[in-house]
Amino acid sequence: MPLMLVAAVAFLLAGTIKGITGIGLPTASIAFMTLFVDPRTAIALVLFPMLGSNIWQMLRGGAFLRTVKRYWLFAVVLVAGVGATAYSTQNTSERALMAILGFVVLVFVLLSWKKLIPPLADRFDTAAQIGFALLSGVIGGMTAAWGPPMAMYLATKGVDKDEFIRATGFLISVGSLPLLLAYAQIGFLTGPLAGLSLAMLVPTILGFSLGELVRRRMSVEAFRRAILILFVVLGLNLIRRAIWYG
């Protein structure tokens, strides 16, 4: 199957998921694309759609300055963690990346299916931001899918839907920048891949807009469960491929 067609389908679907839930773009698109391409190519392709869609989400969410003031520490630690991890793990094998991606997808499903994270008192917020941001940076620098630890942190804060959309839009936008720069400098994001990644903004935003319409017209809970079942299949398949790789 041609790479452009694979990517277009992946980002249309992943953009729709993100439009409904606010997160899941890298998790869904990378998991789908790795059925056809290697993990490094999938991660490279997700960079511009991830950055563009989250800037779009952040601007549409409003209250930008308040969001920055509330989560600036998380953002600073996340940027440092993503950049350092991307450079230090550039020689990680594709087999290891598939295993890590599969694990991240399954953790994302587990945390999304049940509210397993207890609330955290405000006096622990600084430590929680640093800890969860470091974890997000390590996972994001390796796989570009840092949704699970970010969702865990926001769950400890008990934020509402609108705050969740604003926070994730801001944090993923900021975290995408060092990963994009690192992939470009290392050589994983070549000119042709960068061009294709930029082009994938179109199906991503189209899917995002479609997802917003769906969110207003159907039971989000029913759709969320169907998507999580799909993620289980994709995550288990990634782990299977890592075990029997080559």
Side-chain angles (χ1 to χ4, degrees):
M1 187 180 295
L3 179 57
M4 181 174 289
L5 179 58
V6 169
V9 172
F11 286 112
L12 181 62
L13 292 174
T16 302
I17 293 168
K18 183 172 181 59
I20 294 172
T21 65
I23 57 174
L25 176 72
T27 305
S29 58
I30 293 173
F32 180 81
M33 285 190 291
T34 51
L35 295 173
F36 304 94
V37 300
D38 65 273
R40 291 293 187 194
T41 298
I43 293 171
L45 287 173
V46 83
L47 293 174
F48 282 110
M50 181 167 61
L51 177 61
S53 64
N54 281 285
I55 290 175
W56 175 266
Q57 177 175 315
M58 177 178 63
L59 294 177
R60 287 169 65 87
F64 174 71
L65 293 179
R66 187 179 69 187
T67 302
V68 173
K69 184 177 179 180
R70 185 169 296 175
Y71 300 108
W72 70 267
L73 179 59
F74 196 115
V76 169
V77 177
L78 175 64
V79 166
V82 168
T85 302
Y87 282 107
S88 62
T89 62
Q90 60 182 281
N91 295 319
T92 302
S93 69
E94 292 182 0
R95 183 174 186 173
L97 279 177
M98 282 191 287
I100 294 167
L101 279 167
F103 178 75
V104 168
V105 170
L106 293 179
V107 170
F108 175 81
V109 170
L110 178 63
L111 296 176
S112 298
W113 200 280
K114 299 292 184 180
K115 294 182 179 180
L116 300 176
I117 309 301
L120 193 67
D122 287 342
R123 66 180 181 274
F124 299 121
D125 185 60
T126 297
Q129 287 204 39
I130 293 173
F132 282 111
L134 280 173
L135 184 57
S136 298
V138 171
I139 294 175
M142 284 191 290
T143 69
W146 47 63
M150 191 179 299
M152 288 169 63
Y153 167 71
L154 294 173
T156 69
K157 301 300 294 178
V159 301
D160 60 28
K161 180 178 66 174
D162 292 336
E163 178 71 9
F164 186 89
I165 295 294
R166 286 193 294 267
T168 54
F170 167 61
L171 292 173
I172 298 176
S173 296
V174 171
S176 299
L177 292 173
L179 188 60
L180 192 156
L181 293 174
Y183 262 57
Q185 187 170 356
I186 293 169
F188 293 143
L189 183 63
T190 62
L193 283 180
L196 182 55
S197 181
L198 277 168
M200 290 304 106
L201 279 167
V202 175
T204 300
I205 297 301
L206 180 61
F208 187 91
S209 301
L210 177 62
E212 287 187 318
L213 290 176
V214 172
R215 185 172 61 196
R216 300 187 188 106
R217 293 176 177 271
M218 67 173 290
S219 167
V220 175
E221 183 65 20
F223 184 84
R224 183 182 69 90
R225 292 191 177 187
I227 291 302
L228 292 179
I229 291 172
L230 174 61
F231 278 6
V232 169
V233 174
L234 293 173
L236 290 175
N237 183 65
L238 282 166
I239 293 174
R240 177 194 64 81
R241 291 178 64 200
I243 294 173
W244 284 285
Y245 186 71

